[in-house]
Amino acid sequence: MAALFACTKCNSRHPFEELSQGQQLCKDCRGAFPLVKCTYCRTEFQDGSKGSPSLVCKKCEVNVKLYGKPSACEYCNIIAAFIGAKCQRCTNSEKRYGPPVTCEQCKQRCAFDRKDDSRKKVDGKLLCWLCTLSYKRALAKTKQSASHRSSSSKPGHHHHSSQNHKRSSSHSSKSKRSEHSPSKKPRTEISKSSNGSLPSSESTLLDTGTSDHVVAMHQLKDQIASLQKQLLVKDQQMLAREKQAGEAKAQHGIIERELRLKIQSMTKSHNDLVEELQSKVRVLQKQVITLSKNQKKVRDTDSPQRL
């Protein structure tokens, strides 16, 4: 018997090829949980949360906790570069297949030439990872519409086709009446082919444009967050510098006041010393005058006696 493998959600046993790649989910679990795209690496995964849908896969959640929010990859421009300037997908592809080349769909230098049979699945085109997914989805839609068209052309569906014809005629009459009213359709709507399905090239462009739009939105959000962080750092630096300037100004005022008081004290002591010395000089001058007068008197009294 072939080996059976357990589903990661319900633990039921199934052959390996019946489980989904990556999360290893069975068909029932894949239908029970919605298929969403990761905000960062753009990988599709089954969201198993019961509340609001999680838009980040488990791998990117771990990387965000370890390395913080990622930046845009310099090759594919996907917001998934957690370490360095390149995402892990482009890093691994560059190691295996060499430097990137220009994608034939988005014209970015983010495709890798695998040099194997993988290009046969996209009609021999050299596409990047995102454009490859979009092209495969467009091919799947085209095949699905072709199979639906072939099944509806069978004789057993004649009554159903007549009903569809009646519905289309009533719809055309309604559309004629609505020609005079202002159009409310979004500008992003593109024309459909005669069979009612999107052409593969237009569907691919729509998917690629949507992915590029999401990537650009996340880039702008990350740039805004980065600029806000830089602005916060600059504000904190300005406040710190203003605080240092205020402290330096206060310190300068204290030093200036102390120097002024010291100069006043030294000036006062100098003036007191000068006055004291001047008073001593005056006293000494008086004593000199008195002594000189006494000496003159003594000389005058001694001179007649000698005669």
Side-chain angles (χ1 to χ4, degrees):
M1 293 179 64
L4 299 178
F5 298 87
C7 173
T8 55
K9 290 293 182 183
C10 63
N11 293 325
S12 59
R13 300 285 177 171
H14 302 274
F16 184 76
E17 58 271 10
E18 292 184 4
L19 299 177
S20 63
Q21 296 181 359
Q23 291 181 294
Q24 303 295 314
L25 299 177
C26 64
K27 291 182 180 180
D28 294 335
C29 291
R30 287 201 300 271
F33 299 104
L35 186 67
V36 296
K37 279 187 179 181
C38 177
T39 303
Y40 298 126
C41 67
R42 310 303 300 156
T43 303
E44 292 183 345
F45 66 98
Q46 303 287 145
D47 180 35
S49 58
K50 296 182 179 179
S52 59
S54 175
L55 298 179
V56 181
C57 65
K58 299 296 182 181
K59 186 176 180 181
C60 288
E61 280 185 0
V62 174
N63 288 333
V64 168
K65 291 179 181 179
L66 292 176
Y67 309 108
K69 288 188 176 181
S71 58
C73 175
E74 66 177 2
Y75 289 159
C76 63
N77 214 23
I78 297 176
I79 313 295
F82 289 95
I83 304 174
K86 291 177 259 185
C87 67
Q88 193 63 39
R89 187 182 295 112
C90 288
T91 301
N92 295 336
S93 298
E94 187 177 19
K95 290 179 180 178
R96 293 181 63 183
Y97 310 112
V101 295
T102 303
C103 174
E104 295 181 10
Q105 184 67 43
C106 64
K107 305 305 180 183
Q108 296 187 55
R109 196 175 181 83
C110 55
F112 294 91
D113 190 2
R114 299 175 180 268
K115 297 178 181 179
D116 53 12
D117 296 336
S118 59
R119 292 171 62 176
K120 292 182 179 179
K121 299 179 181 179
V122 289
D123 297 335
K125 296 180 179 292
L126 183 58
L127 304 177
C128 65
W129 181 73
L130 277 179
C131 293
T132 300
L133 295 180
S134 301
Y135 199 86
K136 287 181 178 179
R137 282 195 296 268
L139 290 177
K141 289 179 182 178
T142 305
K143 291 180 180 179
Q144 185 178 2
S145 62
S147 61
H148 178 71
R149 189 167 59 252
S150 62
S151 61
S152 61
S153 63
K154 293 179 180 180
H157 297 273
H158 177 71
H159 180 68
H160 181 69
S161 62
S162 62
Q163 289 181 352
N164 288 336
H165 179 69
K166 291 179 181 179
R167 291 176 184 174
S168 62
S169 61
S170 63
H171 179 71
S172 62
S173 62
K174 289 180 182 179
S175 62
K176 288 181 181 178
R177 289 196 302 269
S178 63
E179 283 180 355
H180 301 285
S181 63
S183 177
K184 296 182 180 180
K185 293 182 179 181
R187 295 179 62 186
T188 54
E189 182 179 356
I190 61 176
S191 61
K192 294 185 178 182
S193 60
S194 59
N195 57 13
S197 62
L198 287 172
S200 60
S201 59
E202 293 182 355
S203 178
T204 304
L205 289 174
L206 180 60
D207 292 336
T208 305
T210 304
S211 301
D212 293 341
H213 179 65
V214 173
V215 169
M217 284 183 60
H218 286 294
Q219 282 182 345
L220 291 175
K221 287 181 180 179
D222 290 340
Q223 288 178 1
I224 291 172
S226 177
L227 290 175
Q228 287 177 347
K229 288 180 181 179
Q230 292 179 4
L231 184 61
L232 182 61
V233 171
K234 293 292 184 183
D235 289 341
Q236 291 177 352
Q237 291 178 353
M238 288 290 293
L239 290 175
R241 289 177 181 175
E242 289 179 357
K243 184 178 180 181
Q244 291 178 356
E247 292 176 353
K249 188 175 181 181
Q251 189 69 21
H252 177 72
I254 293 172
I255 294 173
E256 186 179 1
R257 186 165 58 252
E258 290 177 352
L259 288 175
R260 192 183 298 113
L261 293 174
K262 189 175 182 180
I263 290 172
Q264 291 176 357
S265 176
M266 291 176 66
T267 303
K268 184 179 179 181
S269 62
H270 175 72
N271 292 334
D272 293 341
L273 181 61
V274 169
E275 288 180 1
E276 183 180 357
L277 291 175
Q278 286 178 350
S279 63
K280 286 183 178 180
V281 168
R282 287 194 294 270
V283 171
L284 291 174
Q285 285 177 348
K286 289 179 181 179
Q287 290 178 358
V288 168
I289 293 171
T290 304
L291 289 174
S292 62
K293 286 181 179 180
N294 292 333
Q295 287 180 357
K296 187 176 181 182
K297 287 180 180 180
V298 170
R299 288 175 185 173
D300 291 338
T301 55
D302 290 341
S303 59
Q305 293 178 0
R306 290 178 183 176
L307 293 174

